Amino acid sequence: MDLGNNFNMPDNETNEEIKLNGVGASPGICIGKAYLVDKEGVEVVEKYFISGKNLDGEIKRFKAAVKNAVNELRSIIENVPDEVRRHTGILETHIALLKDKMLYDKTIETIKKERVNAEWALKKVVDDIKVMFQNISDSYLKERSDDITHVSDRIIKFLIGSEDVNIGEIDKRVILVAKDLSPADASQIQLDKIMGFITDRGGKASHTSIIARTLEVPAVLGVGNATKTINNDDTIIIDGTTGVVIIHPSGQTLGEYKKLKTRHEEHKAYLSRGSHLKAETLDGLSLQIMGNIELPEEVVSVLDHGGDGIGLYRTEFQYLTRSDFPGEDELFDKYKDVVEVMGPRPVTIRTLDINGDKAISSSNGSEEANPALGLRAIRYCLKRPDIFRTQLRAILRAAAFGNVRILIPMISSLDEIRDTKKLLNEVADSLEKEGKAYNKNIEFGIMIEVPSAVIMADVMAQETDFFSIGTNDLIQYTLAIDRGNREVAHLYHPFHPAILRMIKHVTDVGKEKGIKVFMCGEMAGDPFNVPVLLGLGIDELSMNPQSIPAVKNMIRSLKVEDARHFIKEALKQTTTMDVIKLVEASFGEMFGK
Ligand code: PEP
Ligand code: MG
């Protein structure tokens, strides 16, 4: 903890304290001097026409800029600090994007067709791609359009020859303030120099914030006007937990935040000391606590935070930043990497969950009026067995290298289970004939996230090895609340009595039929929910890796007997608020309430 002597005093008396709000992207508090970096991206691009005889030269200029951008990224990858080495996969994605047909070929085509300069053609292509992304309501996918902006800014920088601040070369201990930081910028952060960062743009699910969380550097993103309001050398406080930024803090505010910072660090140290201990209740019930990942490189974070395996590998993200579908070998390599790194621990690979709120360019689907109820997940896969087979083959091949479970999303009828199993058997037969290494003796599970699956759970349990409850969608489909709609977000709560009863029904069926019931929706990752989940009898929880230590700690503080007794009362409650109040009344002191 290095606050430095110069932060014992508030800024000049004439400076009034200013508070800004953004997205708390990476928890923790830091206090320091602001350092503004000119990472604005390229906003103004001139358009000019290229005569026919100069078109080839313009295309060459574009190709040279892309080559320089690739070389620059390669050199960043080679020189990243060890702490972020595992995230170079993101930069590799940027290199792939630089050469992506959708971007590279289309820009060349636009230069030729419209006879315009390379910068203008590229900006036009990128704007079109971004419009496509903006129509997606899933925030994670939406933020992938930031990756495209970062990549095109990098090319344009070479085209117009603009200078850039090299974050890796900052030699003062500061808080970075920027309009935007690309994952490549964030990966160059030297932990002994940069205390935290603030950006005008960005959101919680961006790769930049993933890197901030991995580095455990406090960060507030999406502030909107930070670069306009903050000046170089201003004293600022970042609270990455609440998303608050304070400029020119008063002496009193400084004192309060120093105390908060100490408390936060002590608590984090306490949690992480226990992160590798078993998640065992005081009366001896042990639970597996797993991590959710979207990209293979997040595996290390699961291990670092004490995860016992991967409870949900959302494979759709590998289909995202491209206009075609990934091939079998490419998928197999990624899955095998994850499976091998996890060693004997289980890796639950969920098959493609695209469309709905995760439409991708390569799905080529027609516009759906109601995509959440449309050709999503297993429905899409069964309609496109060519794409599904490719993924199933890659999964069965990866299963030869470790402990794999397969998980099928959005099951709403028994037919879908049977059709999927039929395809799996066909795929296994063909791998057998081809003499390829594979393993078909893997656990077969279904996501319970559609009300019909809850009601039919007893029937489905007979043809399934495990259930995994996806509360994100189960709440959406049960309460008729679009999970991406801000207007109804206040109604979205896992403690709605209907949701609790549904989960109870599923765990009861699991016990009766002898199959395990897991949970991988967001409900599993909040320590406040732990007494309820223990009481309901969930066998395994899976969550974002950073939540693992706190959830494990909560489990170790409870008795399952108390939770079982408590859930009987909780299930009698008739409103969400009554359930919340009961949790607070029964376990409040554990959450500091
Ligand atoms: C869920 O619906 O709870 C879930 C885990 O899946 P996703 O968030 O990917 O839809
Ligand atoms: Mg879901």
Side-chain angles (χ1 to χ4, degrees):
M1 185 177 51
D2 171 19
L3 302 182
N5 287 338
N6 41 341
F7 303 122
N8 287 328
M9 292 295 289
D11 274 3
N12 185 320
E13 296 290 292
T14 53
N15 284 327
E16 246 182 65
E17 182 171 302
I18 302 170
K19 190 170 163 190
L20 303 176
N21 288 295
V23 178
S26 178
I29 289 167
C30 66
I31 306 171
K33 293 283 185 192
Y35 186 93
L36 271 85
V37 285
D38 187 15
K39 289 277 174 191
E40 302 207 1
V42 183
E43 282 175 353
V44 187
V45 165
E46 274 183 62
K47 178 179 184 178
Y48 51 92
F49 289 97
I50 307 289
S51 64
K53 67 175 179 8
N54 290 331
L55 276 179
D56 281 348
E58 192 60 12
I59 291 167
K60 265 195 202 139
R61 196 169 76 85
F62 172 67
K63 287 183 176 170
V66 173
K67 204 167 161 203
N68 282 333
V70 171
N71 289 342
E72 186 183 54
L73 275 172
R74 290 235 173 278
S75 118
I76 291 175
I77 291 172
E78 275 160 27
N79 295 309
V80 289
D82 285 347
E83 301 91 299
V84 281
R85 187 146 296 282
R86 58 181 175 270
H87 276 293
T88 52
I90 294 165
L91 306 184
E92 297 283 1
T93 308
H94 279 197
I95 292 180
L97 268 177
L98 280 164
K99 296 175 182 160
D100 189 275
K101 275 189 191 148
M102 203 161 69
L103 202 75
Y104 189 85
D105 292 1
K106 265 250 172 315
T107 303
I108 294 177
E109 194 184 306
T110 310
I111 297 173
K112 279 192 207 154
K113 243 197 217 155
E114 303 192 17
R115 298 187 163 206
V116 286
N117 56 318
E119 301 82 324
W120 182 265
L122 176 62
K123 194 114 179 43
K124 184 168 186 280
V125 169
V126 168
D127 285 347
D128 288 349
I129 298 173
K130 283 167 76 180
V131 167
M132 217 162 70
F133 274 79
Q134 292 313 320
N135 293 332
I136 300 171
S137 56
D138 180 274
S139 65
Y140 187 100
L141 298 194
K142 203 171 227 167
E143 283 165 19
R144 297 287 67 74
S145 82
D146 291 348
D147 292 332
I148 292 168
T149 309
H150 294 314
V151 161
S152 81
D153 282 357
R154 196 171 285 281
I155 304 174
I156 292 179
K157 193 187 77 189
F158 280 106
L159 285 170
I160 59 181
S162 72
E163 278 299 310
D164 224 349
V165 177
N166 186 348
I167 288 173
E169 284 168 11
I170 295 173
D171 64 353
K172 296 193 264 185
R173 205 157 154 67
V174 289
I175 295 177
L176 282 186
V177 183
K179 266 214 163 167
D180 200 2
L181 286 181
S182 70
D185 295 329
S187 71
Q188 292 177 79
I189 283 177
Q190 313 280 322
L191 287 175
D192 56 338
K193 299 281 162 27
I194 312 295
M195 292 184 263
F197 65 86
I198 305 167
T199 60
D200 287 344
R201 302 199 201 113
K204 202 165 188 152
S206 71
H207 276 133
T208 302
S209 73
I210 292 172
I211 291 179
R213 289 199 287 276
T214 306
L215 291 173
E216 305 195 26
V217 171
V220 178
L221 271 56
V223 178
N225 53 352
T227 51
K228 289 207 176 81
T229 322
I230 301 172
N231 293 308
N232 258 331
D233 272 345
D234 280 350
T235 300
I236 45 178
I237 299 174
I238 296 187
D239 184 343
T241 311
T242 57
V244 166
V245 173
I246 297 170
I247 315 166
H248 314 308
S250 68
Q252 189 190 343
T253 309
L254 267 176
E256 282 164 14
Y257 272 91
K258 281 182 190 176
K259 273 192 211 140
L260 270 177
K261 181 175 162 65
T262 309
R263 228 182 297 152
H264 176 86
E265 281 167 5
E266 284 170 357
H267 188 60
K268 208 168 104 181
Y270 165 74
L271 289 178
S272 78
R273 276 198 295 280
S275 67
H276 290 273
L277 299 175
K278 273 207 287 185
E280 184 174 301
T281 60
L282 294 170
D283 48 355
L285 178 87
S286 234
L287 261 83
Q288 294 285 99
I289 304 299
M290 319 281 272
N292 292 351
I293 61 165
E294 283 77 36
L295 295 169
E297 56 264 31
E298 288 160 31
V299 160
V300 187
S301 179
V302 175
L303 291 173
D304 284 353
H305 288 89
D308 298 310
I310 306 293
L312 172 65
Y313 178 2
R314 291 181 164 105
T315 56
E316 48 277 10
F317 292 89
Q318 268 152 254
Y319 293 68
L320 176 66
T321 46
R322 53 194 302 156
S323 50
D324 56 350
F325 284 92
E328 177 184 324
D329 284 345
E330 189 183 334
L331 293 175
F332 164 67
D333 285 343
K334 298 274 186 211
Y335 301 160
K336 180 169 165 276
D337 278 355
V338 174
V339 167
E340 286 186 333
V341 173
M342 290 311 289
R345 302 173 191 84
V347 174
T348 314
I349 304 181
R350 185 177 72 179
T351 58
L352 198 51
D353 182 0
I354 53 168
N355 284 342
D357 58 353
K358 294 183 211 166
I360 57 172
S361 55
S362 42
S363 74
N364 250 341
S366 52
E367 293 269 305
E368 291 184 289
N370 210 342
L373 305 180
L375 197 60
R376 178 185 168 186
I378 190 61
R379 301 170 180 186
Y380 176 83
C381 287
L382 291 174
K383 194 143 185 212
R384 290 292 308 264
D386 51 331
I387 291 160
F388 200 21
R389 269 196 202 99
T390 305
Q391 185 180 36
L392 295 178
R393 283 174 61 96
I395 295 172
L396 292 191
R397 285 175 58 197
F401 294 85
N403 184 355
V404 170
R405 302 163 172 170
I406 189 167
L407 177 62
I408 316 298
M410 216 195 167
I411 289 287
S412 61
S413 74
L414 192 61
D415 297 327
E416 288 162 341
I417 297 177
R418 290 181 175 162
D419 291 345
T420 303
K421 285 188 155 180
K422 201 167 148 227
L423 273 177
L424 257 179
N425 285 330
E426 278 174 33
V427 159
D429 287 349
S430 60
L431 287 168
E432 178 72 36
K433 280 198 196 106
E434 292 162 33
K436 291 217 160 110
Y438 74 99
N439 177 11
K440 80 169 196 180
N441 295 319
I442 58 176
E443 285 185 48
F444 177 95
I446 59 166
M447 296 278 296
I448 300 286
E449 51 185 353
V450 177
S452 62
V454 174
I455 297 187
M456 297 292 285
D458 56 333
V459 175
M460 295 193 180
Q462 295 178 25
E463 305 196 15
T464 326
D465 299 315
F466 66 94
F467 289 152
S468 187
I469 303 179
T471 47
N472 309 341
D473 278 313
L474 187 60
I475 296 170
Q476 154 161 279
Y477 293 129
T478 302
L479 304 183
I481 296 170
D482 175 351
R483 58 194 261 194
N485 182 343
R486 288 165 57 103
E487 301 303 318
V488 283
H490 62 289
L491 301 172
Y492 189 103
H493 202 290
F495 286 174
H496 189 296
I499 301 298
L500 297 188
R501 288 178 194 204
M502 288 180 117
I503 298 173
K504 177 72 166 53
H505 177 72
V506 176
T507 52
D508 283 350
V509 168
K511 273 189 205 88
E512 192 192 315
K513 301 288 177 189
I515 72 166
K516 295 257 186 254
V517 178
F518 309 148
M519 179 176 286
C520 62
E522 288 300 301
M523 183 181 188
D526 186 341
F528 187 75
N529 301 340
V530 167
V532 169
L533 298 173
L534 276 179
L536 287 168
I538 304 285
D539 294 298
E540 179 183 291
L541 302 174
S542 192
M543 61 205 67
N544 85 61
Q546 291 72 25
S547 303
I548 293 173
V551 168
K552 277 186 150 183
N553 178 61
M554 187 53 66
I555 292 171
R556 284 197 299 270
S557 322
L558 292 164
K559 282 189 178 166
V560 70
E561 252 338 286
D562 291 345
R564 283 182 189 144
H565 179 74
F566 156 80
I567 204 69
K568 288 191 187 135
E569 286 310 303
L571 286 165
K572 286 182 199 157
Q573 305 306 308
T574 48
T575 70
T576 305
M577 200 32 94
D578 289 345
V579 181
I580 295 173
K581 280 190 191 144
L582 192 67
V583 175
E584 283 177 357
S586 312
F587 302 96
E589 75 277 11
M590 290 182 182
F591 316 113
K593 290 187 180 162

